């Protein structure tokens, strides 16, 4: 097997005078700590790269990962200072070469330390186990399979059959472009099943954007695969699991016992020694981009990982590949562009299973409504008709709470958060003012805190208020059985309690709820058969947002949401997507009306190309947090000035530092600096050369008060 540079082969033992070998070990060091991620340790015997060990670090003993065996003792290390590996977790096979290459790439590309990325990719519980405890865990036995209980797969539609055949025939990453309800999930299932039956060791990784979406897919995978793979054949990995659960799932995947791993973005780092297929469902979803630590994109890493796995298979002399499928009804413009260029293989599945049409678009021109109209009479009429027919409606508003601001008419008081440059949101349900950025919460004051005026009023509208308004407007409407209408709300507030989300989904499925008000969390993935109307009541903000990705996200959200309607073909005929807008002529709505994602994408890509925006150029953001806005910006500008003098800065555009859209959060001032370049490679070279200067700039006198900084490569919002 070919290893990276300098990895010596197992037989090639290098002894120092005391006997034993020298190993370079990855230890957990944060990106900016100054401690290198690779430290040298002595051990009595040869260890393979990827072997997990426990090593002393300072006064502690930590989990480490053998990176390579050194041919000669480290030259700069005083032998009397040398430390020994404390113990070897030899019950675990070493992490394989493609896994190691994946974490090395992620660390390099996203500008973090190898130690941070490699060790945080391992389950936390592994850090605390000694070799004996580990041995005990690995002994647990897996329950047996029961082949007879297997549910038969439906016969593939012609589009599905074609997609599957092309998938088998191509070695390129595949972009499965299929409408909601076109049977994409069925394609993933079949591709997985075919592979797992053909190769007794093969493993499959399925990524979904949100934890909420795992139970549904888990049920489908279990129903189809568990009967012949056994219940242990399927493992889940996401942040909602307890540390022991995560460890168990991780071990099952690492040992090869689990053949399918279903997880959220963090599962991209699962150890899967026989990985042959990666599925990224809803690949356009922003949740695939991590917003803390190493700000990696699990979707992008999935494509990279498939290539690494294929190289590993080839190096092992296996004539197989690892495939990657990115699925979406509204692909990211990055993936769409890659398919246009022929770097990805595009597979289109335009038809819905059962032939149901996508809902028709109804635009309400708000310019023609009476002043102050929140819900137009046309929309209310359409909702009332649904209630009367026993059908459901979904009303989307992307703002939770009752009102975003509380304001005094007499003076200028507003419900400003004392810690942030943002207003606190009025939550009527528990009569609180809550900051959605820092969490600061107070009781709603009886009177204006500044002038004592009793008339403090909510400004603007959130989901709580919309729910209240809809209930009022529909009070006299009856369901087919003569009972009163039921309006409910689903957002991050209503689903916070454990089990609340499940209960609310169940109420919706049972038909108990007629009208559901919700944030975008309800628009994703869930399969609601009785919904025949979806309405978006404040989409306009995204049309003119400063964030150039806002239209892409709005289009995806509206397509996704309209995909919720009419999943049941008997009701599809009169399914509708309603949008209230002040700009009904906007081209985005023209494309939406025709369900024309390719048209929308072509127009957006042309604009991006003209502006040199991704995917036509590469970007990185450096974010800085400081006690003062001046310090945050000075740090960034100083670092940028130093960067501009590097030879690697040729062709790279460094913009001046600016405050972030919400400049102060929890009394910390935030600024950011955009770096842009036509070429991803050139940008990467600059970032690598810049890293030590950024660390150095922390000490610049003008940066006094700096708290932290972070580099965000390929940022999703700027
Ligand atoms: P998507 O993932 O594209 O939204 P799904 O795979 O969930 O679509 O399919 C939509 C619905 O159609 C599901 O209820 C699924 O069980 C059903 N379905 C998918 N493929 C077939 C098929 N070939 N024959 C019959 N029903 C199918
Ligand atoms: Zn006042
Ligand atoms: Zn706040």
């Amino acid at each position: 097997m070919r290893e990276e540079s300098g990895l010596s082969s197992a037989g090639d033992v290098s002894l120092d005078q005391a006997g034993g070998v020298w190993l370079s070990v990855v230890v957990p060091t944060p990106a900016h700590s100054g401690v290198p991620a690779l430290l040298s340790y002595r051990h009595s015997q040869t260890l393979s790269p990827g072997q997990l060990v426990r090593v002393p670090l300072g006064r502690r003993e930590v989990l480490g990962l053998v990176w390579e065996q050194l041919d000669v003792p480290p030259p700069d290390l005083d032998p009397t200072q040398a430390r020994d590996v404390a113990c070897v977790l030899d019950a675990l096979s070493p992490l394989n070469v493609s896994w190691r290459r994946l974490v090395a790439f992620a660390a390099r590309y996203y500008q973090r330390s190898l130690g941070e990325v490699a060790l945080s990719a391992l389950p936390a519980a592994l850090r605390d186990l000694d070799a004996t405890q580990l041995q005990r865990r690995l002994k647990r036995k897996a329950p047996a399979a029961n082949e007879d209980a297997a549910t038969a797969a439906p016969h593939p539609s012609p589009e599905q059959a074609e997609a599957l055949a092309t998938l088998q025939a191509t070695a390129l990453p595949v972009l499965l472009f299929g409408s909601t309800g076109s049977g994409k999930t069925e394609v993933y299932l079949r591709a997985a099943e075919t592979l797992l039956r053909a190769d007794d060791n093969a493993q499959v990784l399925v990524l979904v954007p949100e934890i909420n979406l795992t139970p549904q897919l888990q049920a489908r995978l279990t129903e189809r695969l568990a009967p012949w793979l056994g219940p242990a054949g399927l493992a889940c990995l996401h942040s909602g699991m307890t540390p022991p659960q995560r460890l168990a799932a991780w071990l099952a995947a690492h040992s090869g016992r689990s053949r399918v791993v279903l997880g959220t973005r963090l599962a991209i780092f699962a150890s899967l020694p026989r990985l042959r297929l990666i599925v990224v469902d809803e690949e356009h979803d922003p949740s695939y981009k991590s917003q803390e630590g190493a700000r990696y994109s699990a979707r992008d890493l999935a494509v990279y990982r498939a290539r690494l796995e294929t190289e590993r298979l080839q190096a092992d002399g296996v004539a197989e590949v690892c495939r990657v499928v990115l699925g979406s009804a509204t692909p990211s413009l990055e993936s769409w562009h890659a398919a246009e260029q022929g770097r990805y293989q595009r597979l289109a599945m335009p038809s819905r299973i059962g032939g149901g049409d996508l809902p028709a678009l109804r635009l309400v021109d708000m310019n023609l409504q009476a002043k102050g109209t929140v819900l137009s009479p046309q929309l209310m009429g359409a909702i009332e008709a649904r209630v009367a027919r026993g059908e459901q409606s979904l009303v989307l508003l992307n703002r939770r709470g009752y009102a975003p601001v509380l304001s005094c008419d007499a003076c200028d008081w507003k419900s400003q958060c004392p810690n942030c440059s943002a207003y606190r949101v009025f939550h009527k349900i528990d009569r609180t003012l809550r900051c959605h950025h820092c969490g600061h919460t107070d009781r709603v004051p009886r009177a204006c805190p500044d002038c004592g005026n009793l008339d403090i009023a909510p400004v603007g509208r959130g989901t709580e208020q919309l729910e209240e308004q809809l209930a009022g407007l529909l009070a006299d409407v009856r369901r087919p059985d003569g009972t009163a209408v039921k309006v409910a709300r689903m957002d991050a507030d209503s689903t916070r309690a454990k089990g609340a989300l499940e209960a609310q989904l169940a109420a919706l499925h049972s038909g108990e709820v007629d009208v559901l008000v919700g944030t975008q969390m309800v628009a994703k993935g869930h399969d609601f058969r009785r919904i025949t109307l979806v309405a978006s009541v404040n989409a306009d903000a995204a049309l003119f947002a400063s964030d150039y990705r806002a239209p892409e996200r709005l289009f995806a959200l509206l397509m996704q949401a309209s995909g919720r309607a009419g999943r049941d073909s008997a009701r599809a005929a009169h399914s509708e997507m309603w949008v209230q807008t002040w700009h009904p002529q906007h081209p985005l709505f023209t494309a939406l009306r025709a369900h024309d994602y390719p048209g929308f994408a072509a127009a957006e890509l042309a604009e991006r190309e003209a502006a040199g925006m991704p995917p036509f150029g590469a970007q990185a953001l450096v974010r800085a947090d400081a006690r003062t806005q001046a310090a945050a910006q000075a740090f960034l500008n100083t670092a940028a000035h130093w960067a501009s003098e590097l030879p690697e800065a040729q062709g790279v555009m460094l913009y001046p530092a600016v405050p972030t859209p919400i400049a102060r959060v929890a009394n910390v001032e935030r600024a950011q600096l955009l770096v842009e370049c036509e070429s991803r490679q050139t940008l990467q070279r600059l970032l690598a050369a810049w890293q030590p200067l950024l660390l150095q700039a922390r000490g610049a006198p003008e940066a006094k008060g700096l708290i932290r900084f972070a580099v965000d490569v390929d940022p999703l919002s700027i």
Side-chain angles (χ1 to χ4, degrees):
M1 196 201 299
R2 200 178 60 79
E3 302 279 9
E4 292 106 297
S5 60
L7 299 196
S8 54
S9 71
D12 180 15
V13 181
S14 54
L15 298 173
D16 75 333
Q17 56 274 61
V21 295
W22 286 98
L23 301 165
S24 171
V25 177
V26 183
V27 292
T29 51
H32 310 322
S33 65
V35 180
L38 285 168
L39 295 180
S40 302
Y41 290 91
R42 223 170 25 194
H43 190 56
S44 55
Q45 309 157 32
T46 296
L47 291 178
S48 302
Q51 179 65 58
L52 290 172
V53 291
R54 297 189 62 81
V55 292
L57 179 69
R59 293 164 189 281
R60 295 176 303 148
E61 190 182 285
V62 297
L63 182 66
L65 172 76
V66 175
W67 199 247
E68 59 182 334
Q69 188 166 303
L70 303 170
D71 291 327
V72 288
D76 48 351
L77 191 82
D78 173 359
T80 59
Q81 297 295 308
R83 306 184 79 174
D84 292 314
V85 168
C87 86
V88 179
L89 301 181
D90 45 14
L92 285 181
S93 54
L95 287 141
N96 77 1
V97 62
S98 37
W99 187 89
R100 284 178 280 131
R101 291 179 70 192
L102 178 72
V103 293
F105 170 78
R108 202 165 59 236
Y109 188 84
Y110 294 106
Q111 303 288 313
R112 308 297 293 198
S113 78
L114 176 61
E116 179 192 13
V117 175
L119 276 306
S120 66
L122 299 171
L126 205 53
R127 288 174 215 153
D128 312 323
L129 286 188
D130 63 28
T132 338
Q133 290 164 316
L134 189 62
Q135 202 88 45
R136 212 173 302 136
R137 272 182 181 276
L138 287 168
K139 285 226 175 77
R140 296 191 188 156
K141 262 207 128 137
N146 171 17
E147 174 98 39
D148 297 343
T151 28
H155 193 70
S157 69
E159 283 179 0
Q160 286 171 331
E162 199 186 316
L164 284 161
T166 318
L167 178 59
Q168 291 308 318
T170 184
L172 291 175
V174 165
L175 178 61
L176 183 59
F177 168 52
S179 328
T180 37
S182 63
K184 292 186 294 299
T185 310
E186 188 54 38
V187 170
Y188 312 147
L189 280 168
R190 273 207 174 249
E193 201 169 345
T194 310
L195 170 68
L196 297 173
R197 287 199 187 263
D199 174 347
D200 282 342
N201 292 314
Q203 291 179 302
V204 176
L205 173 62
V206 180
L207 298 180
V208 289
E210 285 184 32
I211 300 178
N212 292 344
L213 300 178
T214 52
Q216 297 178 65
L217 197 51
Q218 189 181 1
R220 257 172 102 172
L221 285 164
T222 306
E223 190 188 337
R224 277 285 271 290
L225 305 176
W228 56 280
L229 285 181
L234 178 68
C236 281
L237 267 176
H238 56 71
S239 58
M241 295 162 68
T242 63
Q245 286 172 331
R246 241 160 94 178
L247 177 63
W250 188 88
L251 289 173
H254 178 68
S255 68
R257 205 153 29 93
S258 280
R259 308 283 307 285
V260 181
V261 169
L262 168 64
T264 50
R265 65 170 182 256
L266 61 90
I268 190 57
F269 291 115
S271 167
L272 292 151
R274 310 277 189 155
L275 184 57
R276 294 279 313 278
L277 173 67
I278 310 177
V279 171
V280 184
D281 191 24
E282 309 289 5
E283 67 90 29
H284 63 280
D285 198 293
S287 314
Y288 283 121
K289 182 84 157 72
S290 170
Q291 296 299 336
E292 58 192 23
R295 289 166 161 77
Y296 63 90
S297 155
R299 181 206 47 227
D300 295 351
L301 287 181
V303 173
Y304 191 81
R305 184 169 187 177
R307 205 166 83 203
L308 293 177
E309 301 290 351
T310 298
E311 286 174 15
R312 173 186 56 83
L313 287 161
Q314 281 162 0
D316 287 351
V318 183
E320 298 288 356
V321 296
C322 175
R323 295 177 201 284
V324 57
V325 181
L326 312 178
S328 177
T330 51
S332 63
L333 290 176
E334 281 79 2
S335 299
W336 188 258
H337 181 59
E340 298 272 278
Q341 289 186 316
R343 287 186 286 125
Y344 293 179
Q345 169 83 46
R346 180 164 52 218
L347 302 176
M349 299 206 302
S351 324
R352 295 182 112 185
I353 297 285
D357 287 332
L358 282 165
L361 179 68
R362 302 265 177 265
L363 287 178
V364 179
D365 186 345
M366 294 308 279
N367 300 292
L368 308 178
Q369 303 297 318
K371 197 165 174 291
T373 302
V374 177
L375 295 156
S376 64
Q378 296 93 314
L379 173 58
M380 286 315 299
I383 293 175
E384 283 165 23
R386 260 92 195 160
V387 176
R389 282 204 299 267
E391 295 170 4
Q392 295 173 309
S393 303
L394 176 62
V395 183
L396 294 172
L397 177 64
N398 218 9
R399 196 189 274 152
R400 61 197 170 81
Y402 190 85
V405 193
L406 214 53
S407 156
C408 169
D409 277 351
C411 72
D412 231 8
W413 181 85
K414 288 194 169 56
S415 55
Q416 177 77 45
C417 174
N419 311 324
C420 307
S421 48
Y423 295 119
R424 280 174 297 165
V425 175
F426 172 40
H427 287 257
K428 192 173 177 183
I429 288 189
D430 54 3
R431 307 236 23 116
T432 56
L433 287 178
R434 266 188 249 162
C435 175
H436 287 185
H437 302 282
C438 74
H440 183 92
T441 303
D442 271 336
R443 299 277 303 158
V444 171
R446 269 176 214 294
C448 172
D450 282 1
C451 73
N453 172 22
L454 289 174
D455 220 14
I456 44 176
V459 181
R461 189 165 293 94
T463 45
E464 278 182 23
Q465 191 174 160
L466 194 60
E467 177 190 17
E468 183 183 279
Q469 264 165 344
L470 275 163
L473 288 166
L474 296 169
D476 299 330
V477 180
R478 290 285 167 265
R479 313 162 87 171
D481 63 2
T483 55
V485 65
K486 169 101 168 105
V487 179
R489 174 174 54 90
M490 193 162 129
D491 56 24
D493 296 317
S494 78
T495 54
R496 191 156 293 146
K498 195 165 163 53
L501 177 70
E502 292 72 18
Q504 287 177 26
L505 287 173
L508 198 66
H509 282 293
S510 70
E512 213 177 284
V513 172
D514 303 297
V515 181
L516 182 72
V517 176
T519 52
Q520 59 182 352
M521 71 178 286
V522 294
K524 285 185 188 173
H526 305 286
D527 192 355
F528 302 130
R529 311 228 136 216
R530 297 155 60 113
I531 289 181
T532 61
L533 181 149
V534 177
S536 169
V537 295
N538 75 334
D540 282 356
L543 296 177
F544 305 100
S546 60
D547 181 352
Y548 68 93
R549 286 184 208 265
E552 178 185 353
R553 279 201 287 269
L554 176 64
F555 192 87
L557 173 70
L558 295 179
M559 282 289 281
Q560 207 78 38
S562 77
R564 302 301 116 223
R567 302 262 325 201
D568 186 338
S569 55
R571 298 189 177 105
H574 57 267
S575 287
E576 292 171 343
M577 168 90 215
W578 285 69
V579 177
Q580 296 194 151
T581 174
W582 295 86
H583 308 277
Q585 311 304 332
H586 197 284
L588 187 146
F589 295 127
T590 317
L592 188 67
R593 185 187 294 285
H595 307 296
D596 181 16
Y597 173 81
F600 170 77
E604 281 291 307
L605 282 171
E607 274 186 33
R608 298 261 186 106
E609 184 163 23
M613 297 283 197
F616 298 93
Q619 291 180 330
L621 270 186
V622 188
R623 304 174 194 274
D625 291 357
R627 298 273 164 242
T628 65
Q629 185 58 228
Q633 292 190 22
F635 161 77
L636 292 171
N637 288 331
T638 299
H641 176 68
W642 294 352
S644 69
E645 292 175 339
L646 291 169
E648 290 86 353
Q650 190 77 36
V652 180
M653 181 76 190
L654 292 140
Y655 289 87
V658 292
T660 55
I662 294 167
R664 187 168 51 100
V665 170
N667 287 320
V668 171
E669 293 284 345
R670 308 186 305 174
Q672 62 184 33
L673 185 144
L674 177 64
V675 191
E676 234 172 36
C677 184
E678 257 177 50
S679 145
R680 189 179 291 272
Q681 285 75 26
T682 309
L683 182 63
Q684 276 290 318
R685 269 198 296 275
L686 171 73
L687 293 175
W690 194 13
Q691 178 91 8
L693 299 180
L694 275 162
L695 292 173
Q696 201 182 324
R698 291 183 304 182
E702 62 272 28
K704 191 165 158 33
L706 180 79
I707 298 166
R708 65 182 86 84
F709 77 91
V711 181
D712 186 351
V713 181
D714 303 332
L716 276 194
S717 56
I718 58 171

